[in-house]
Amino acid sequence: MPSSGAALEMHPNGNAHQLATRWRNALMAAYLASGLLISALVSRLPAVRDALDLDHANVGLLLLCMSAGSFLSVSVSGQLVLRLGAANVMRIAATIGGGSLLLVGFSTGVLGSTLACGIFLFTQGLGTASWNVASNVQGAAMERALGKSIMPALHGFFSIGTVIGAGIGALAAAIGLPLQYHYGLIGLAIIGTVLYSSQFFGEDFSRTPRTSNGPSLRRAWSEPQTVLLGVLVLGMALAEGAAGDWVALALADGYQTTEATGAIGYGIFVTAMTLTRLLSGDLILRLGRVTMIRASAMSALIGVLLFAFGNSLPLAFAALAIWGMGVALTFPLAMSAASDDPLHAATRVAVVSTIGYGAFLGGPPLLGLLAQAIGLLPALGSISLLIVVAFILSSNAAGYPQHDEATEN
């Protein structure tokens, strides 16, 4: 089996460096578009709520439609990548995701139909999750081709996309742009960006013929290392997602600050996470994945505990920066580990992603119930237990035994 780097060298349409640069830029654009898709929706949720005349509980049920679609999609996305190839899955999934956003805007702003909105949120979840798995397979292939850690930077561009999407959403809300126009334009821009960028994607070698002893989801679920890698991701994904869901509210209620102060706090967290992803590539190469995940877990643990029990607003802001730095790298590094062997990359990434998505699906309501019982700040502090588990499991990111591929062949 040739490597992705060899494929670049043999490509007839340019030298290896130029092709690698185009591939990198194309993937960065696709990751940015993925972040834009998520934040475009969330940034106008108040407008969606008002247009459909919903209470908070029904808004939660609508978002659960998207989470359910994501969970269903990510569980089968590995097989889709094996059959169609990562680049093709990205094209299809981005079209479904962007098209669904357009239809969410139409069903909300024009039809005023909660049922239609829920259906298209479900299909948006279907597209988003498969897109994420396929893009991580592509990103890992590019890492192998370039011989350096690029996955954190790719996820950094996802974070940049969320910031851009939030800014566009704030502007659209300020000028009163109807949802059907806002979501429609963003949806079309996302589809166009990915379809154009995908022509520069490299070969990921994820597409394989179906054989009785070939890569499969069943095999991946039976691998202890893959499952433990997923549990590692679960803990750190909950630590990341909890900040997005609860930090602003925790600052407002737990620290008796204003809504604007809560937004500033979340901005500190996101900025720290984004900068860490963009600037950590050389450090990862020097220290290795396991060391960086352990350092990240320690940073996240310190940040969460300081935020939950520090009882000082300046300390809380510092804690959010430490927390954001701590959760920035684990997910992309775990995706790199799951993709070490290109033959099994799609199924292993799917398994790790499926377990990790459990944090985004079940984490917010569970934290809400716990907060109701013990208070929001102590509930956030309880995340530290899962962070410790992630630290303990960090050795599973070291890489897979080299004999796996030979065993399959």
Side-chain angles (χ1 to χ4, degrees):
M1 176 181 294
S3 69
S4 298
L8 285 175
E9 292 173 4
M10 293 185 295
H11 200 289
N13 294 327
N15 60 61
H17 176 73
Q18 185 180 43
L19 291 170
T21 300
R22 289 177 180 174
W23 188 1
R24 181 202 63 197
N25 293 343
L27 268 182
M28 286 178 172
Y31 269 83
L32 188 147
S34 179
L36 184 61
L37 175 62
I38 296 297
S39 62
L41 173 70
V42 174
S43 66
R44 298 297 302 276
L45 271 182
V48 172
R49 177 199 62 200
D50 294 342
L52 299 176
D53 193 23
L54 302 175
D55 57 22
H56 291 305
N58 285 322
V59 171
L61 289 175
L62 270 183
L63 293 178
L64 188 60
C65 291
M66 184 170 65
S67 297
S70 296
F71 195 78
L72 175 63
S73 177
V74 77
S75 64
V76 300
S77 55
Q79 291 299 115
L80 288 176
V81 171
L82 286 177
R83 288 176 175 238
L84 303 176
N88 285 329
V89 171
M90 287 180 69
R91 294 182 187 102
I92 295 169
T95 301
I96 293 173
S100 295
L101 180 66
L102 184 154
L103 291 170
V104 166
F106 182 79
S107 61
T108 303
V110 178
L111 300 180
S113 170
T114 302
L115 176 60
C117 182
I119 291 171
F120 295 126
L121 283 173
F122 178 82
T123 59
Q124 181 174 331
L126 288 176
T128 300
S130 292
W131 182 356
N132 288 341
V133 170
S135 61
N136 281 313
V137 172
Q138 266 279 309
M142 188 171 65
E143 281 192 328
R144 292 190 296 271
L146 297 179
K148 62 181 180 179
S149 179
I150 196 72
M151 195 76 83
L154 292 176
H155 284 262
F157 271 79
F158 171 87
S159 299
I160 292 172
T162 63
V163 173
I164 293 174
I168 293 174
L171 178 61
I175 65 176
L177 184 66
L179 284 169
Q180 61 268 29
Y181 298 126
H182 176 200
Y183 284 179
L185 290 172
I186 295 296
L188 291 174
I190 287 167
I191 294 171
T193 297
V194 176
L195 292 183
Y196 176 77
S197 299
S198 65
Q199 66 183 305
F200 302 110
F201 291 168
E203 178 60 72
D204 53 70
F205 299 109
S206 59
R207 187 175 181 180
T208 61
R210 290 181 59 85
T211 62
S212 59
N213 65 339
S216 68
L217 280 175
R218 180 178 297 180
R219 172 191 163 87
W221 277 106
S222 70
E223 295 173 334
Q225 183 174 354
T226 302
V227 173
L228 291 175
L229 195 59
V231 176
L232 185 159
V233 169
L234 175 70
M236 297 300 281
L238 181 59
E240 178 184 341
D245 293 323
W246 297 109
V247 156
L249 186 59
L251 283 170
D253 293 351
Y255 285 87
Q256 281 74 54
T257 63
T258 64
E259 182 180 350
T261 303
I264 291 171
Y266 179 61
I268 291 172
F269 173 86
V270 173
T271 300
M273 186 171 66
T274 302
L275 290 176
T276 301
R277 285 175 167 174
L278 291 175
L279 301 176
S280 60
D282 290 339
L283 194 59
I284 293 168
L285 280 179
R286 287 201 298 269
L287 300 180
R289 285 194 298 242
V290 173
T291 298
M292 289 300 295
I293 288 176
R294 287 173 179 166
S296 296
M298 289 299 300
S299 177
L301 180 65
I302 292 169
V304 167
L305 292 177
L306 285 178
F307 182 82
F309 305 111
N311 297 318
S312 164
L313 186 58
L315 186 60
F317 282 156
L320 286 171
I322 298 170
W323 185 353
M325 292 169 61
V327 299
L329 299 179
T330 300
F331 188 84
L333 290 179
M335 292 300 104
S336 293
S339 303
D340 273 344
D341 181 350
L343 180 65
H344 299 282
T347 52
R348 287 171 176 166
V349 167
V351 169
V352 173
S353 298
T354 299
I355 298 173
Y357 261 88
F360 295 109
L361 188 64
L366 288 176
L367 280 174
L369 291 173
L370 187 60
Q372 192 71 25
I374 66 174
L376 183 51
L377 287 175
L380 289 174
S382 70
I383 298 170
S384 60
L385 299 175
L386 287 174
I387 296 174
V388 171
V389 172
F391 180 92
I392 294 170
L393 296 177
S394 59
S395 60
N396 290 282
Y400 285 80
Q402 292 298 310
H403 61 75
D404 273 3
E405 184 174 337
T407 300
E408 289 304 314
N409 292 332

